[in-house]
Amino acid sequence: MRIDPDKCIACGNCLPYCPMAAIAMIGDIAVINEDECVECDCCFDFAGCPTAAIEKVDLAWPRILRNQFSNPVVPTVTSMTGRGSEEMKTNDVTNQFRAGFFGLGVELGRPGIGVRFDDVEKVTMALAPHINKFAAVNPVTELLEDRTTGKIRAEVLSEKVMSVLVEIIAPLEKLPALLQELAALKTKVNTVFCASLISRLDENGNSPVVEIARQWGFTPEIRTKTNIGMGKIPPGYRGEAHK
Amino acid sequence: MTHSLYRTGSYDEVKDDFVVLIMPGKGINVEGSAAKMKQFLDIANRYAPADLGLSLVISGVDEIVKNDVCKELDIKPHTTNYSLGIMGKTEKLPKDERVLAICCSCARSWLCRCISIPAPRVLTGNPPLLYRRWILFSLYPLLSLILNTSKQKSFFSIRDIPTPAMPL
């Protein structure tokens, strides 16, 4: 994104529309800090520049990742919009998370803060030795140079985006080790992150991950997200998904 | 994930917060799901339950969702996502709880305080126009409703939050 200095009339209207505070008045024109801009398109789409001075520029690799991870309607390399997979939202038909396994989602960055991929790599490399796999259909997984070490392609490490989601699946016995890695990451990353645990429920609606998390010093929030099992697999479906 | 992760608070503060999300599994039951979304909206308008065969996710206080909702309707919950909270450089977070709640990551900054979207429409499940267009024209329809009428008033002045002190 750029602001045409010949068109800018210094009205300043665009400044509050930037979620990353990357637009500033320098002299008598508004200027975008390219290093901080995450190419979310908010200024272009919503600020309503009276002279149409805000212009999109063609984004080359790897900068185009900023746009893919920061504008919710731009498809990522997974051909899906959004930063993550369907995760547990459709687990009643995909059965990605089975009994005896759990999912861990680590969401880094948020509007106003953002995240660079060198911080994302700290997470992927910390988790990789303990897990079964990084989630498929996840744009971060697609950026991994080595899925066994969690190393991310070097050329993208300095790119900044609004937020990303790292998703993994692992056997339940690996949960304590992963929680210890998570605790250590609190002081290693230069942004905010959230973590969530995904688990199938037993007959009584309970999950083993809650007690394990408490044992290792984490307190799950009282709010949860629950797939209530209304999904149905169509008759004749021949894929791998099953209840 | 964000619709639970960024809504922290005490039981009393969040007991009336519910997010409902309906979506198909890619490659499994996507076909015809857009029509089902429309059907859901028609049914919801009449306040009647719907069984469309699409995955339905409810975000809310765990014991309320499982005890008051699922048990009441004789539904066996399938899978739960537990939030472990916000970590890392939390000093960078916006100080105003309303900004934290509205400017979530799921919609990036589309539901941003900087954007002229009247908050009550967001909070009562009437998505802003652009979001509605996204639903209607997507090949992969997803319906998300955020329900809490009691918070409308407190969030209504979201645009009054001082903006120059960026970042959020």
Side-chain angles (χ1 to χ4, degrees):
Chain A
M1 200 67 66
R2 70 181 288 271
I3 296 175
D4 186 337
D6 295 328
K7 292 181 181 176
C8 179
I9 56 172
C11 65
N13 286 351
C14 54
L15 269 64
Y17 282 84
C18 177
M20 304 304 296
I23 308 177
M25 298 302 297
I26 298 180
D28 58 354
I29 56 170
V31 176
I32 296 175
N33 179 335
E34 285 192 20
D35 190 45
E36 290 298 317
C37 171
V38 295
E39 305 289 357
C40 64
D41 299 333
C42 279
C43 56
F44 182 87
D45 288 338
F46 303 120
C49 175
T51 61
I54 302 172
E55 299 173 344
K56 285 188 180 182
V57 294
D58 289 335
L59 300 174
W61 174 266
R63 189 171 177 89
I64 195 168
L65 290 171
R66 298 184 182 227
N67 188 233
Q68 294 175 346
F69 278 87
S70 306
N71 183 334
V73 296
V74 172
T76 66
V77 288
T78 63
S79 301
M80 289 179 69
T81 54
R83 299 148 302 144
S85 69
E86 294 170 17
E87 37 106 338
M88 50 72 70
K89 293 193 279 289
T90 53
N91 199 40
D92 49 354
V93 295
T94 64
N95 203 29
Q96 280 191 81
F97 306 97
R98 303 162 192 239
F101 290 80
F102 70 96
L104 172 66
V106 181
E107 179 181 8
L108 297 105
R110 58 157 281 135
I113 301 174
V115 57
R116 292 188 193 269
F117 279 100
D118 56 359
D119 266 333
V120 181
E121 187 184 62
K122 291 173 189 169
V123 174
T124 53
M125 292 189 72
L127 303 184
H130 307 285
I131 66 175
N132 253 34
K133 61 178 180 179
F134 287 94
V137 201
N138 174 295
V140 174
T141 302
E142 296 298 322
L143 294 175
L144 294 175
E145 182 179 277
D146 183 341
R147 296 190 185 190
T148 59
T149 64
K151 191 164 179 51
I152 291 177
R153 296 168 65 170
E155 71 269 26
V156 310
L157 292 177
S158 63
E159 295 300 328
K160 184 170 186 176
V161 298
M162 193 90 79
S163 65
V164 306
L165 181 57
V166 176
E167 299 174 281
I168 63 99
I169 298 174
L172 202 53
E173 61 267 24
K174 297 287 188 182
L175 181 52
L178 279 165
L179 290 172
Q180 290 176 74
E181 296 285 4
L182 208 56
L185 285 165
K186 290 177 185 177
T187 55
K188 290 181 181 173
V189 298
N190 191 34
T191 186
V192 291
F193 67 97
C194 306
S196 65
L197 292 172
I198 297 169
S199 168
R200 280 288 297 265
L201 302 172
D202 65 19
E203 288 294 306
N204 299 314
N206 299 317
S207 160
V209 302
V210 175
E211 195 48 43
I212 297 173
R214 289 196 179 116
Q215 284 172 8
W216 290 93
F218 290 87
T219 305
E221 300 281 352
I222 57 173
R223 288 180 54 82
T224 61
K225 187 164 82 175
T226 293
N227 178 326
I228 64 169
M230 302 285 278
K232 291 188 176 70
I233 297 169
Y237 176 74
R238 294 286 182 266
E240 293 180 359
H242 58 85
K243 284 277 184 182
Chain B
M1 157 170 187
T2 312
H3 48 77
S4 63
L5 286 179
Y6 283 123
R7 285 188 176 76
T8 57
S10 69
Y11 181 92
D12 284 336
E13 287 168 333
V14 298
K15 65 183 170 59
D16 294 324
D17 283 12
F18 296 96
V19 179
V20 177
L21 189 146
I22 304 169
M23 68 186 293
K26 190 176 185 183
I28 300 175
N29 54 356
V30 173
E31 194 174 333
S33 57
K36 289 177 179 176
M37 299 289 179
K38 183 178 182 304
Q39 186 185 353
F40 172 81
L41 291 171
D42 291 339
I43 295 168
N45 281 340
R46 300 195 300 271
Y47 301 97
D51 182 4
L52 304 173
L54 299 176
S55 300
L56 198 152
V57 172
I58 301 177
S59 173
V61 172
D62 197 52
E63 65 176 69
I64 295 176
V65 171
K66 286 172 182 160
N67 295 334
D68 297 355
V69 178
C70 291
K71 278 188 182 166
E72 178 77 17
L73 297 173
D74 197 24
I75 290 170
K76 189 181 292 185
H78 189 276
T79 305
T80 289
N81 184 331
Y82 300 90
S83 168
L84 298 182
I86 306 172
M87 303 168 224
K89 298 283 185 190
T90 53
E91 64 272 23
K92 292 185 175 182
L93 287 169
K95 301 295 182 281
D96 192 310
E97 181 264 340
R98 298 173 301 171
V99 177
L100 196 61
I102 292 288
C103 301
C104 67
S105 291
C106 261
R108 314 303 196 281
S109 50
W110 278 41
L111 306 184
C112 177
R113 82 203 192 292
C114 310
I115 301 170
S116 303
I117 298 171
R121 288 199 305 164
V122 177
L123 296 170
T124 55
N126 184 9
L129 179 61
L130 280 167
Y131 188 39
R132 272 185 282 168
R133 285 177 57 194
W134 182 20
I135 294 169
L136 291 174
F137 295 109
S138 172
L139 294 175
Y140 184 66
L142 180 154
L143 186 58
S144 179
L145 312 170
I146 305 172
L147 311 168
N148 186 340
T149 53
S150 67
K151 278 196 177 172
Q152 281 183 50
K153 194 172 179 182
S154 64
F155 279 89
F156 186 68
S157 59
I158 196 76
R159 295 192 70 215
D160 298 334
I161 296 168
T163 56
M166 292 291 216
L168 302 181

